[in-house]
């Protein structure tokens, strides 16, 4: 192994150590209470080294969110290839994401806020790291190709709106909570998106 390859592997191991230590501290002490100095000290690196790998503390959460999205995308692809109906896959993925975010309730708000960061570069980075809309688009594409989805909006826009709805419902739940679980709240929102808010009268008449 040449020296450049060895350095790259050392950097990868150091980044992985910083990432794992940071997540452990976030879960144990809370995201807001954990500082970059805390993470660096627990990782046995300098504060400057931490910032070489993560330019801001929230960037650690983007790696975490990206891992979650990768798992969901892989599962969606596998379930679709098995012949599972797309809407069933969407609900499965939706529930799993809600379960993950509900379990790590303290991590979701700062992660979600990154997507809405007033700094456009940070917001763009977060959006690229958390491609929920792309996962939804993948799931809905077979329905779109079969003509089972409305055509006055693009599939991309529909997927973006569904992803944005999840973001806002989960963020409100994380901040304020309700008597329902996050899975129940997000399912209500998804049902509303897919079925619409207007009451439908029966089309047939009975004598």
């Amino acid at each position: 192994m040449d020296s450049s390859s060895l350095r790259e592997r050392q950097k990868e191991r150091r980044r992985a150590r910083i990432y794992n230590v940071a997540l452990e501290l976030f879960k144990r002490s809370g995201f807001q209470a954990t500082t970059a100095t805390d993470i660096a000290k627990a990782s046995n690196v300098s504060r400057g080294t931490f910032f070489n790998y993560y330019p801001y503390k929230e960037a650690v959460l983007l790696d975490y969110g990206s891992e979650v999205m990768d798992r969901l995308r892989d599962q969606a692809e596998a379930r679709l290839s098995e012949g599972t109906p797309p809407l069933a896959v969407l609900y499965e993925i939706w529930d799993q994401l809600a379960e993950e975010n509900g379990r790590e309730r303290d991590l979701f708000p700062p992660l979600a806020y990154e997507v809405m960061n007033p700094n456009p570069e940070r917001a763009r980075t977060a959006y690229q790291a958390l491609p929920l809309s792309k996962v939804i688009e993948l799931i809905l594409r077979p329905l779109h190709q079969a003509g089972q989805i409305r055509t006055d909006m693009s599939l991309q826009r529909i997927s973006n709106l569904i992803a944005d709805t999840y973001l806002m419902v989960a963020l409100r739940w994380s901040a304020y909570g309700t008597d329902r679980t996050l899975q129940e709240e997000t399912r209500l929102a998804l049902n509303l998106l897919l079925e619409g808010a207007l009451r439908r009268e029966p089309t047939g008449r009975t004598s």
Side-chain angles (χ1 to χ4, degrees):
M1 181 182 299
D2 60 35
S3 59
S4 61
S5 297
L6 179 60
R7 283 195 299 272
E8 286 303 313
R9 291 191 62 177
Q10 289 173 337
K11 288 172 65 175
E12 289 172 5
R13 287 196 295 268
R14 188 176 297 118
R15 182 184 181 94
R17 184 170 71 250
I18 294 171
Y19 169 74
N20 289 326
V21 167
L23 280 188
E24 182 181 344
L25 290 175
F26 292 158
K27 294 175 183 180
R28 187 172 66 210
S29 305
F31 178 81
Q32 299 300 338
T34 302
T35 67
T37 301
D38 295 332
I39 298 169
K41 184 176 180 180
S43 303
N44 296 317
V45 300
S46 68
R47 180 180 166 88
T49 297
F50 170 82
F51 286 118
N52 285 338
Y53 288 92
Y54 292 104
Y56 40 91
K57 188 175 67 169
E58 289 79 3
V60 178
L61 292 181
L62 297 185
D63 275 3
Y64 161 71
S66 182
E67 285 187 356
V68 174
M69 289 296 106
D70 286 345
R71 291 202 306 269
L72 294 181
R73 184 181 185 91
D74 289 346
Q75 180 177 343
E77 289 177 337
R79 295 291 283 154
L80 289 172
S81 67
E82 293 169 0
T84 307
L87 286 183
V89 177
L90 179 59
Y91 275 102
E92 287 178 11
I93 296 302
W94 198 259
D95 286 346
Q96 287 200 21
L97 183 57
E99 181 182 358
E100 175 82 26
N101 293 152
R103 186 169 60 249
E104 306 298 347
R105 184 169 182 166
D106 188 53
L107 300 184
F108 185 76
L111 188 59
Y113 287 139
E114 275 303 293
V115 180
M116 300 177 285
N117 196 295
N119 181 320
E121 187 58 37
R122 283 181 58 163
R124 188 179 307 109
T125 299
Y127 180 79
Q128 292 171 347
L130 307 170
L132 177 58
S133 64
K134 298 296 184 184
V135 178
I136 294 171
E137 186 175 345
L138 167 74
I139 296 170
L140 295 182
R141 188 170 295 119
L143 296 180
H144 184 262
Q145 293 171 340
Q148 297 176 6
I149 291 182
R150 57 190 296 173
T151 58
D152 59 330
M153 297 173 63
S154 69
L155 177 59
Q156 181 181 29
R157 187 174 184 189
I158 291 172
S159 301
N160 283 336
L161 287 171
I162 294 174
D164 289 347
T165 299
Y166 179 90
L167 180 70
M168 296 310 299
V169 170
L171 186 56
R172 185 176 63 245
W173 182 88
S174 297
Y176 305 112
T178 69
D179 294 333
R180 290 184 287 267
T181 66
L182 179 56
Q183 285 173 296
E184 292 171 329
E185 287 287 353
T186 53
R187 272 216 166 213
L188 285 172
L190 183 57
N191 287 338
L192 181 63
L193 284 170
L194 296 178
E195 298 172 10
L198 298 180
R199 181 177 179 181
R200 292 174 175 79
E201 298 295 337
T203 55
R205 291 185 177 181
T206 58
S207 56

